[in-house]
PDB file of all heavy atoms in Angstrom:
ATOM      1  N   ILE X   1       8.407-103.666  22.365  1.00 89.00           N
ATOM      2  CA  ILE X   1       7.014-103.704  22.761  1.00 89.00           C
ATOM      3  C   ILE X   1       6.462-105.151  22.730  1.00 89.00           C
ATOM      4  O   ILE X   1       7.011-105.984  22.017  1.00 89.00           O
ATOM      5  CB  ILE X   1       6.106-102.805  21.833  1.00 89.00           C
ATOM      6  CG1 ILE X   1       6.168-103.233  20.396  1.00 89.00           C
ATOM      7  CG2 ILE X   1       6.538-101.358  21.985  1.00 89.00           C
ATOM      8  CD1 ILE X   1       5.177-102.548  19.505  1.00 89.00           C
ATOM      9  N   ASP X   2       5.463-105.392  23.571  1.00 88.00           N
ATOM     10  CA  ASP X   2       4.920-106.723  23.711  1.00 88.00           C
ATOM     11  C   ASP X   2       4.438-107.303  22.371  1.00 88.00           C
ATOM     12  O   ASP X   2       4.633-108.509  22.125  1.00 88.00           O
ATOM     13  CB  ASP X   2       3.772-106.778  24.711  1.00 88.00           C
ATOM     14  CG  ASP X   2       4.297-106.563  26.130  1.00 88.00           C
ATOM     15  OD1 ASP X   2       5.436-106.892  26.387  1.00 88.00           O
ATOM     16  OD2 ASP X   2       3.468-106.114  26.987  1.00 88.00           O
ATOM     17  N   GLU X   3       3.833-106.544  21.557  1.00 89.00           N
ATOM     18  CA  GLU X   3       3.283-107.028  20.302  1.00 89.00           C
ATOM     19  C   GLU X   3       4.211-106.622  19.180  1.00 89.00           C
ATOM     20  O   GLU X   3       3.752-106.306  18.032  1.00 89.00           O
ATOM     21  CB  GLU X   3       1.891-106.485  20.074  1.00 89.00           C
ATOM     22  CG  GLU X   3       0.844-106.945  21.065  1.00 89.00           C
ATOM     23  CD  GLU X   3       0.655-108.458  21.066  1.00 89.00           C
ATOM     24  OE1 GLU X   3       0.617-109.086  20.004  1.00 89.00           O
ATOM     25  OE2 GLU X   3       0.622-109.043  22.217  1.00 89.00           O
ATOM     26  N   GLY X   4       5.514-106.576  19.431  1.00 86.00           N
ATOM     27  CA  GLY X   4       6.469-106.140  18.396  1.00 86.00           C
ATOM     28  C   GLY X   4       6.598-107.110  17.259  1.00 86.00           C
ATOM     29  O   GLY X   4       6.139-108.264  17.337  1.00 86.00           O
ATOM     30  N   LYS X   5       7.182-106.617  16.207  1.00 90.00           N
ATOM     31  CA  LYS X   5       7.370-107.473  14.992  1.00 90.00           C
ATOM     32  C   LYS X   5       8.470-108.474  15.195  1.00 90.00           C
ATOM     33  O   LYS X   5       9.606-108.105  15.588  1.00 90.00           O
ATOM     34  CB  LYS X   5       7.637-106.557  13.796  1.00 90.00           C
ATOM     35  CG  LYS X   5       6.463-105.666  13.433  1.00 90.00           C
ATOM     36  CD  LYS X   5       6.678-104.937  12.107  1.00 90.00           C
ATOM     37  CE  LYS X   5       5.419-104.121  11.809  1.00 90.00           C
ATOM     38  NZ  LYS X   5       5.557-103.487  10.505  1.00 90.00           N
ATOM     39  N   GLU X   6       8.166-109.734  14.899  1.00 89.00           N
ATOM     40  CA  GLU X   6       9.109-110.815  15.176  1.00 89.00           C
ATOM     41  C   GLU X   6      10.396-110.728  14.390  1.00 89.00           C
ATOM     42  O   GLU X   6      11.435-111.220  14.817  1.00 89.00           O
ATOM     43  CB  GLU X   6       8.447-112.170  14.842  1.00 89.00           C
ATOM     44  CG  GLU X   6       7.348-112.558  15.848  1.00 89.00           C
ATOM     45  CD  GLU X   6       7.931-112.817  17.245  1.00 89.00           C
ATOM     46  OE1 GLU X   6       8.888-113.626  17.338  1.00 89.00           O
ATOM     47  OE2 GLU X   6       7.428-112.235  18.183  1.00 89.00           O
ATOM     48  N   HIS X   7      10.384-110.071  13.245  1.00 90.00           N
ATOM     49  CA  HIS X   7      11.588-109.965  12.412  1.00 90.00           C
ATOM     50  C   HIS X   7      12.501-108.819  12.836  1.00 90.00           C
ATOM     51  O   HIS X   7      13.604-108.684  12.230  1.00 90.00           O
ATOM     52  CB  HIS X   7      11.211-109.912  10.945  1.00 90.00           C
ATOM     53  CG  HIS X   7      10.637-108.597  10.511  1.00 90.00           C
ATOM     54  ND1 HIS X   7       9.341-108.228  10.850  1.00 90.00           N
ATOM     55  CD2 HIS X   7      11.179-107.564   9.816  1.00 90.00           C
ATOM     56  CE1 HIS X   7       9.114-107.014  10.331  1.00 90.00           C
ATOM     57  NE2 HIS X   7      10.215-106.612   9.719  1.00 90.00           N
ATOM     58  N   LEU X   8      12.100-108.021  13.780  1.00 93.00           N
ATOM     59  CA  LEU X   8      12.944-106.856  14.164  1.00 93.00           C
ATOM     60  C   LEU X   8      13.443-107.095  15.618  1.00 93.00           C
ATOM     61  O   LEU X   8      12.714-107.387  16.515  1.00 93.00           O
ATOM     62  CB  LEU X   8      12.103-105.553  14.156  1.00 93.00           C
ATOM     63  CG  LEU X   8      11.546-105.152  12.822  1.00 93.00           C
ATOM     64  CD1 LEU X   8      10.622-103.926  12.994  1.00 93.00           C
ATOM     65  CD2 LEU X   8      12.655-104.830  11.846  1.00 93.00           C
ATOM     66  N   TYR X   9      14.736-106.943  15.754  1.00 94.00           N
ATOM     67  CA  TYR X   9      15.387-107.123  17.078  1.00 94.00           C
ATOM     68  C   TYR X   9      16.183-105.920  17.406  1.00 94.00           C
ATOM     69  O   TYR X   9      17.138-105.550  16.692  1.00 94.00           O
ATOM     70  CB  TYR X   9      16.288-108.405  17.066  1.00 94.00           C
ATOM     71  CG  TYR X   9      16.850-108.704  18.408  1.00 94.00           C
ATOM     72  CD1 TYR X   9      16.230-109.618  19.299  1.00 94.00           C
ATOM     73  CD2 TYR X   9      18.003-108.056  18.918  1.00 94.00           C
ATOM     74  CE1 TYR X   9      16.698-109.933  20.495  1.00 94.00           C
ATOM     75  CE2 TYR X   9      18.474-108.353  20.193  1.00 94.00           C
ATOM     76  CZ  TYR X   9      17.854-109.265  20.974  1.00 94.00           C
ATOM     77  OH  TYR X   9      18.324-109.537  22.210  1.00 94.00           O
ATOM     78  N   TYR X  10      15.834-105.262  18.511  1.00 95.00           N
ATOM     79  CA  TYR X  10      16.474-103.995  18.974  1.00 95.00           C
ATOM     80  C   TYR X  10      17.833-104.299  19.627  1.00 95.00           C
ATOM     81  O   TYR X  10      17.910-105.104  20.529  1.00 95.00           O
ATOM     82  CB  TYR X  10      15.553-103.280  19.925  1.00 95.00           C
ATOM     83  CG  TYR X  10      16.101-102.018  20.478  1.00 95.00           C
ATOM     84  CD1 TYR X  10      16.199-100.878  19.691  1.00 95.00           C
ATOM     85  CD2 TYR X  10      16.499-101.929  21.836  1.00 95.00           C
ATOM     86  CE1 TYR X  10      16.651 -99.657  20.229  1.00 95.00           C
ATOM     87  CE2 TYR X  10      16.964-100.734  22.336  1.00 95.00           C
ATOM     88  CZ  TYR X  10      17.053 -99.605  21.539  1.00 95.00           C
ATOM     89  OH  TYR X  10      17.551 -98.423  22.038  1.00 95.00           O
ATOM     90  N   ILE X  11      18.871-103.629  19.126  1.00 96.00           N
ATOM     91  CA  ILE X  11      20.200-103.794  19.726  1.00 96.00           C
ATOM     92  C   ILE X  11      20.689-102.517  20.435  1.00 96.00           C
ATOM     93  O   ILE X  11      21.772-102.543  21.003  1.00 96.00           O
ATOM     94  CB  ILE X  11      21.246-104.239  18.687  1.00 96.00           C
ATOM     95  CG1 ILE X  11      21.441-103.233  17.530  1.00 96.00           C
ATOM     96  CG2 ILE X  11      20.873-105.605  18.115  1.00 96.00           C
ATOM     97  CD1 ILE X  11      22.611-103.465  16.659  1.00 96.00           C
ATOM     98  N   GLY X  12      19.852-101.458  20.375  1.00 94.00           N
ATOM     99  CA  GLY X  12      20.272-100.206  21.037  1.00 94.00           C
ATOM    100  C   GLY X  12      21.301 -99.440  20.218  1.00 94.00           C
ATOM    101  O   GLY X  12      21.533 -99.694  19.055  1.00 94.00           O
ATOM    102  N   LYS X  13      21.971 -98.516  20.959  1.00 95.00           N
ATOM    103  CA  LYS X  13      23.033 -97.697  20.313  1.00 95.00           C
ATOM    104  C   LYS X  13      24.375 -98.348  20.669  1.00 95.00           C
ATOM    105  O   LYS X  13      24.919 -98.138  21.771  1.00 95.00           O
ATOM    106  CB  LYS X  13      22.971 -96.236  20.781  1.00 95.00           C
ATOM    107  CG  LYS X  13      23.986 -95.363  20.088  1.00 95.00           C
ATOM    108  CD  LYS X  13      23.871 -93.926  20.542  1.00 95.00           C
ATOM    109  CE  LYS X  13      24.872 -93.055  19.902  1.00 95.00           C
ATOM    110  NZ  LYS X  13      26.231 -93.309  20.339  1.00 95.00           N
ATOM    111  N   VAL X  14      24.912 -99.095  19.788  1.00 95.00           N
ATOM    112  CA  VAL X  14      26.179 -99.789  19.946  1.00 95.00           C
ATOM    113  C   VAL X  14      27.312 -98.820  19.750  1.00 95.00           C
ATOM    114  O   VAL X  14      27.269 -97.940  18.892  1.00 95.00           O
ATOM    115  CB  VAL X  14      26.342-100.967  18.938  1.00 95.00           C
ATOM    116  CG1 VAL X  14      27.686-101.623  19.050  1.00 95.00           C
ATOM    117  CG2 VAL X  14      25.193-101.948  19.184  1.00 95.00           C
ATOM    118  N   GLU X  15      28.318 -98.916  20.606  1.00 94.00           N
ATOM    119  CA  GLU X  15      29.496 -98.022  20.484  1.00 94.00           C
ATOM    120  C   GLU X  15      30.062 -98.107  19.063  1.00 94.00           C
ATOM    121  O   GLU X  15      30.232 -99.200  18.535  1.00 94.00           O
ATOM    122  CB  GLU X  15      30.586 -98.400  21.491  1.00 94.00           C
ATOM    123  CG  GLU X  15      31.729 -97.421  21.505  1.00 94.00           C
ATOM    124  CD  GLU X  15      32.774 -97.811  22.603  1.00 94.00           C
ATOM    125  OE1 GLU X  15      32.463 -98.493  23.524  1.00 94.00           O
ATOM    126  OE2 GLU X  15      33.913 -97.340  22.395  1.00 94.00           O
ATOM    127  N   GLY X  16      30.302 -96.941  18.449  1.00 93.00           N
ATOM    128  CA  GLY X  16      30.782 -96.897  17.054  1.00 93.00           C
ATOM    129  C   GLY X  16      29.691 -96.541  16.083  1.00 93.00           C
ATOM    130  O   GLY X  16      29.987 -96.175  14.942  1.00 93.00           O
ATOM    131  N   LEU X  17      28.380 -96.590  16.526  1.00 93.00           N
ATOM    132  CA  LEU X  17      27.298 -96.195  15.671  1.00 93.00           C
ATOM    133  C   LEU X  17      26.677 -94.906  16.211  1.00 93.00           C
ATOM    134  O   LEU X  17      26.859 -94.577  17.406  1.00 93.00           O
ATOM    135  CB  LEU X  17      26.271 -97.313  15.621  1.00 93.00           C
ATOM    136  CG  LEU X  17      26.771 -98.681  15.111  1.00 93.00           C
ATOM    137  CD1 LEU X  17      25.617 -99.673  15.113  1.00 93.00           C
ATOM    138  CD2 LEU X  17      27.377 -98.549  13.731  1.00 93.00           C
ATOM    139  N   ASN X  18      25.969 -94.214  15.377  1.00 93.00           N
ATOM    140  CA  ASN X  18      25.416 -92.944  15.744  1.00 93.00           C
ATOM    141  C   ASN X  18      24.017 -93.006  16.342  1.00 93.00           C
ATOM    142  O   ASN X  18      23.576 -92.052  17.027  1.00 93.00           O
ATOM    143  CB  ASN X  18      25.359 -91.988  14.537  1.00 93.00           C
ATOM    144  CG  ASN X  18      26.738 -91.647  14.074  1.00 93.00           C
ATOM    145  OD1 ASN X  18      27.700 -91.550  14.811  1.00 93.00           O
ATOM    146  ND2 ASN X  18      26.865 -91.452  12.735  1.00 93.00           N
ATOM    147  N   LYS X  19      23.286 -94.071  16.071  1.00 95.00           N
ATOM    148  CA  LYS X  19      21.847 -94.160  16.521  1.00 95.00           C
ATOM    149  C   LYS X  19      21.529 -95.552  17.031  1.00 95.00           C
ATOM    150  O   LYS X  19      22.178 -96.538  16.619  1.00 95.00           O
ATOM    151  CB  LYS X  19      20.952 -93.848  15.321  1.00 95.00           C
ATOM    152  CG  LYS X  19      21.025 -92.484  14.699  1.00 95.00           C
ATOM    153  CD  LYS X  19      20.079 -92.372  13.537  1.00 95.00           C
ATOM    154  CE  LYS X  19      20.063 -90.960  12.985  1.00 95.00           C
ATOM    155  NZ  LYS X  19      19.109 -90.878  11.896  1.00 95.00           N
ATOM    156  N   PRO X  20      20.446 -95.637  17.797  1.00 95.00           N
ATOM    157  CA  PRO X  20      19.927 -96.962  18.156  1.00 95.00           C
ATOM    158  C   PRO X  20      19.477 -97.683  16.902  1.00 95.00           C
ATOM    159  O   PRO X  20      18.988 -97.047  15.967  1.00 95.00           O
ATOM    160  CB  PRO X  20      18.744 -96.662  19.092  1.00 95.00           C
ATOM    161  CG  PRO X  20      18.953 -95.262  19.535  1.00 95.00           C
ATOM    162  CD  PRO X  20      19.715 -94.557  18.418  1.00 95.00           C
ATOM    163  N   SER X  21      19.654 -99.001  16.884  1.00 96.00           N
ATOM    164  CA  SER X  21      19.340 -99.778  15.639  1.00 96.00           C
ATOM    165  C   SER X  21      18.559-101.074  15.956  1.00 96.00           C
ATOM    166  O   SER X  21      18.548-101.494  17.100  1.00 96.00           O
ATOM    167  CB  SER X  21      20.632-100.123  14.968  1.00 96.00           C
ATOM    168  OG  SER X  21      21.383 -98.971  14.613  1.00 96.00           O
ATOM    169  N   VAL X  22      17.989-101.609  14.907  1.00 96.00           N
ATOM    170  CA  VAL X  22      17.389-102.963  14.974  1.00 96.00           C
ATOM    171  C   VAL X  22      17.938-103.803  13.864  1.00 96.00           C
ATOM    172  O   VAL X  22      18.333-103.273  12.812  1.00 96.00           O
ATOM    173  CB  VAL X  22      15.830-102.877  14.822  1.00 96.00           C
ATOM    174  CG1 VAL X  22      15.196-102.142  15.966  1.00 96.00           C
ATOM    175  CG2 VAL X  22      15.418-102.261  13.530  1.00 96.00           C
ATOM    176  N   LEU X  23      17.892-105.101  14.110  1.00 96.00           N
ATOM    177  CA  LEU X  23      18.289-106.088  13.101  1.00 96.00           C
ATOM    178  C   LEU X  23      17.060-106.544  12.337  1.00 96.00           C
ATOM    179  O   LEU X  23      16.000-106.707  12.917  1.00 96.00           O
ATOM    180  CB  LEU X  23      18.932-107.284  13.798  1.00 96.00           C
ATOM    181  CG  LEU X  23      20.205-107.051  14.612  1.00 96.00           C
ATOM    182  CD1 LEU X  23      20.585-108.282  15.366  1.00 96.00           C
ATOM    183  CD2 LEU X  23      21.355-106.550  13.757  1.00 96.00           C
ATOM    184  N   PHE X  24      17.220-106.807  11.075  1.00 95.00           N
ATOM    185  CA  PHE X  24      16.178-107.450  10.253  1.00 95.00           C
ATOM    186  C   PHE X  24      16.507-108.965  10.248  1.00 95.00           C
ATOM    187  O   PHE X  24      17.217-109.464   9.348  1.00 95.00           O
ATOM    188  CB  PHE X  24      16.220-106.911   8.809  1.00 95.00           C
ATOM    189  CG  PHE X  24      15.737-105.561   8.626  1.00 95.00           C
ATOM    190  CD1 PHE X  24      16.597-104.521   8.273  1.00 95.00           C
ATOM    191  CD2 PHE X  24      14.402-105.266   8.786  1.00 95.00           C
ATOM    192  CE1 PHE X  24      16.137-103.253   8.064  1.00 95.00           C
ATOM    193  CE2 PHE X  24      13.900-103.989   8.613  1.00 95.00           C
ATOM    194  CZ  PHE X  24      14.785-102.952   8.208  1.00 95.00           C
ATOM    195  N   LEU X  25      15.928-109.706  11.236  1.00 93.00           N
ATOM    196  CA  LEU X  25      16.297-111.099  11.350  1.00 93.00           C
ATOM    197  C   LEU X  25      15.886-111.900  10.126  1.00 93.00           C
ATOM    198  O   LEU X  25      16.520-112.880   9.815  1.00 93.00           O
ATOM    199  CB  LEU X  25      15.562-111.706  12.593  1.00 93.00           C
ATOM    200  CG  LEU X  25      15.991-111.048  13.959  1.00 93.00           C
ATOM    201  CD1 LEU X  25      15.122-111.600  15.058  1.00 93.00           C
ATOM    202  CD2 LEU X  25      17.481-111.313  14.238  1.00 93.00           C
ATOM    203  N   ASN X  26      14.845-111.475   9.406  1.00 91.00           N
ATOM    204  CA  ASN X  26      14.427-112.207   8.265  1.00 91.00           C
ATOM    205  C   ASN X  26      15.203-111.921   6.986  1.00 91.00           C
ATOM    206  O   ASN X  26      14.933-112.493   5.945  1.00 91.00           O
ATOM    207  CB  ASN X  26      12.921-111.934   8.005  1.00 91.00           C
ATOM    208  CG  ASN X  26      12.698-110.482   7.651  1.00 91.00           C
ATOM    209  OD1 ASN X  26      13.361-109.583   8.160  1.00 91.00           O
ATOM    210  ND2 ASN X  26      11.716-110.203   6.814  1.00 91.00           N
ATOM    211  N   ASP X  27      16.251-111.115   7.117  1.00 92.00           N
ATOM    212  CA  ASP X  27      17.061-110.803   5.933  1.00 92.00           C
ATOM    213  C   ASP X  27      18.502-111.325   6.079  1.00 92.00           C
ATOM    214  O   ASP X  27      19.389-110.948   5.326  1.00 92.00           O
ATOM    215  CB  ASP X  27      17.131-109.290   5.727  1.00 92.00           C
ATOM    216  CG  ASP X  27      15.987-108.777   4.841  1.00 92.00           C
ATOM    217  OD1 ASP X  27      15.527-109.540   3.984  1.00 92.00           O
ATOM    218  OD2 ASP X  27      15.607-107.615   5.050  1.00 92.00           O
ATOM    219  N   CYS X  28      18.739-112.214   7.057  1.00 93.00           N
ATOM    220  CA  CYS X  28      20.115-112.730   7.253  1.00 93.00           C
ATOM    221  C   CYS X  28      20.528-113.492   5.969  1.00 93.00           C
ATOM    222  O   CYS X  28      19.718-114.097   5.290  1.00 93.00           O
ATOM    223  CB  CYS X  28      20.228-113.632   8.462  1.00 93.00           C
ATOM    224  SG  CYS X  28      19.315-115.168   8.385  1.00 93.00           S
ATOM    225  N   LYS X  29      21.796-113.400   5.633  1.00 93.00           N
ATOM    226  CA  LYS X  29      22.271-114.079   4.446  1.00 93.00           C
ATOM    227  C   LYS X  29      23.775-114.243   4.495  1.00 93.00           C
ATOM    228  O   LYS X  29      24.484-113.495   5.216  1.00 93.00           O
ATOM    229  CB  LYS X  29      21.841-113.308   3.182  1.00 93.00           C
ATOM    230  CG  LYS X  29      22.505-111.946   3.026  1.00 93.00           C
ATOM    231  CD  LYS X  29      21.827-111.088   1.964  1.00 93.00           C
ATOM    232  CE  LYS X  29      22.614-111.084   0.692  1.00 93.00           C
ATOM    233  NZ  LYS X  29      22.072-110.310  -0.369  1.00 93.00           N
ATOM    234  N   PHE X  30      24.265-115.212   3.750  1.00 95.00           N
ATOM    235  CA  PHE X  30      25.723-115.411   3.599  1.00 95.00           C
ATOM    236  C   PHE X  30      26.228-114.500   2.497  1.00 95.00           C
ATOM    237  O   PHE X  30      25.544-114.344   1.466  1.00 95.00           O
ATOM    238  CB  PHE X  30      26.064-116.840   3.277  1.00 95.00           C
ATOM    239  CG  PHE X  30      26.084-117.751   4.450  1.00 95.00           C
ATOM    240  CD1 PHE X  30      25.047-118.567   4.741  1.00 95.00           C
ATOM    241  CD2 PHE X  30      27.217-117.755   5.290  1.00 95.00           C
ATOM    242  CE1 PHE X  30      25.105-119.412   5.883  1.00 95.00           C
ATOM    243  CE2 PHE X  30      27.267-118.585   6.387  1.00 95.00           C
ATOM    244  CZ  PHE X  30      26.193-119.421   6.713  1.00 95.00           C
TER     245      PHE X  30
END
């Protein structure tokens, strides 16, 4: 959505997963 949350990135339903998903960009870590 246009006013979506900056820390959430939609990746859809990737092959091998059961549902559409989003990334938590603000939680990346080594």
Side-chain angles (χ1 to χ4, degrees):
I1 59 173
D2 288 336
E3 298 298 318
K5 294 188 176 183
E6 289 293 309
H7 72 286
L8 298 174
Y9 186 95
Y10 179 73
I11 61 169
K13 185 178 178 291
V14 175
E15 187 177 338
L17 302 180
N18 295 327
K19 296 180 176 182
S21 300
V22 296
L23 300 172
F24 289 111
L25 298 174
N26 63 327
D27 273 329
C28 66
K29 65 192 261 182
F30 278 101

